């Protein structure tokens, strides 16, 4: 009603994130695409970067890894252009997951290690713990059990430290 395109894009972005969390990927993709179009229209690079990330995450969860990689690489480029460390870490972490799922472990490891460095820099303990879990999976998938155990233990420690019970439970299941 008030023609606030930035607010409209923001709310569409929030809806896309909620639908992503609910596993309703078609709705998440639809709202993300609408929000991305508005971000591009009004020159909101940061908002557009996060919408690219949400699109990538939806396709990652759908198992469409190559498509996910394309969106996450675009989000990474935006993040680096804007100096948005949180978005950069998220894009790198998701690229690590996508390449792990494609069994391209060298690339997965490279992206996950870059993400871990950024999460440490910005003090994002929750993402740091999740990334350590991803590193554990990458190492386990390569048969490097000692490295996997070390990273899982670090992930559990962080989850306990920040009171992240669901995160902590991920490593006991």
């Amino acid at each position: 009603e008030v023609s606030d395109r930035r607010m409209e894009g923001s709310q569409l972005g929030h809806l896309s994130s909620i639908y992503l969390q609910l596993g309703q990927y078609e709705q998440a993709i639809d709202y993300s695409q609408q929000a991305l179009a508005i971000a591009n229209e009004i020159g909101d690079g940061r908002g557009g970067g996060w919408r690219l990330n949400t699109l990538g995450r939806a396709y990652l969860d759908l198992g469409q890894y190559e498509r996910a990689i394309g969106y996450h690489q675009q989000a990474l480029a935006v993040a680096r252009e804007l100096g948005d460390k949180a978005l950069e870490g998220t894009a790198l972490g998701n690229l690590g997951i996508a390449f792990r799922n494609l069994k391209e472990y060298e690339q997965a490891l490279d992206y996950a290690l870059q993400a871990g460095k950024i999460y440490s820099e910005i003090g994002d303990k929750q993402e740091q713990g999740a990334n350590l879990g991803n590193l554990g999976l990458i190492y386990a998938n390569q048969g490097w059990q000692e490295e996997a155990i070390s990273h899982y233990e670090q992930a559990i420690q962080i989850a306990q430290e920040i009171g992240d019970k669901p995160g902590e439970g991920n490593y006991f299941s």
Side-chain angles (χ1 to χ4, degrees):
E1 286 181 25
V2 296
S3 298
D4 185 342
R5 295 294 278 165
R6 182 174 302 278
M7 180 61 75
E8 183 181 353
S10 177
Q11 297 310 313
L12 287 165
H14 293 310
L15 283 168
S16 70
S17 295
I18 296 294
Y19 279 113
L20 182 64
Q21 291 173 6
L22 293 171
Q24 297 180 18
Y25 303 113
E26 288 183 30
Q27 292 91 335
I29 290 167
D30 180 50
Y31 284 120
S32 286
Q33 288 173 333
Q34 291 179 57
L36 178 60
I38 291 172
N40 290 337
E41 171 191 320
I42 64 172
D44 179 9
R46 185 173 191 277
W50 282 104
R51 296 301 63 85
L52 289 164
N53 181 68
T54 303
L55 284 162
R57 189 65 210 204
Y59 287 112
L60 184 63
D61 290 351
L62 287 168
Q64 296 180 28
Y65 305 125
E66 287 85 4
R67 199 166 190 182
I69 288 167
Y71 282 112
H72 289 304
Q73 287 175 331
Q74 290 177 62
L76 180 59
V78 169
R80 287 181 171 162
E81 181 181 317
L82 298 175
D84 187 328
K85 290 294 190 180
L87 177 57
E88 183 178 359
T90 300
L92 288 165
N94 286 330
L95 283 163
I97 294 167
F99 281 105
R100 183 197 75 218
N101 288 331
L102 289 170
K103 297 180 177 28
E104 294 181 28
Y105 300 120
E106 190 172 315
Q107 281 190 284
L109 187 58
D110 179 52
Y111 282 118
L113 289 171
Q114 289 181 64
K117 182 178 177 186
I118 288 174
Y119 294 139
S120 289
E121 281 177 25
I122 64 174
D124 190 332
K125 291 284 196 181
Q126 186 158 5
E127 290 299 328
Q128 189 178 7
N131 191 65
L132 285 164
N134 185 40
L135 281 163
L137 285 170
I138 293 166
Y139 288 127
N141 288 333
Q142 294 181 90
W144 301 345
Q145 304 311 328
E146 291 301 316
E147 284 292 322
I149 290 167
S150 172
H151 284 79
Y152 289 141
E153 287 174 344
Q154 291 175 62
I156 291 167
Q157 181 180 359
I158 288 174
Q160 290 171 338
E161 189 179 301
I162 65 172
D164 179 9
K165 292 293 183 188
E168 185 180 344
N170 283 339
Y171 306 106
F172 288 115
S173 57

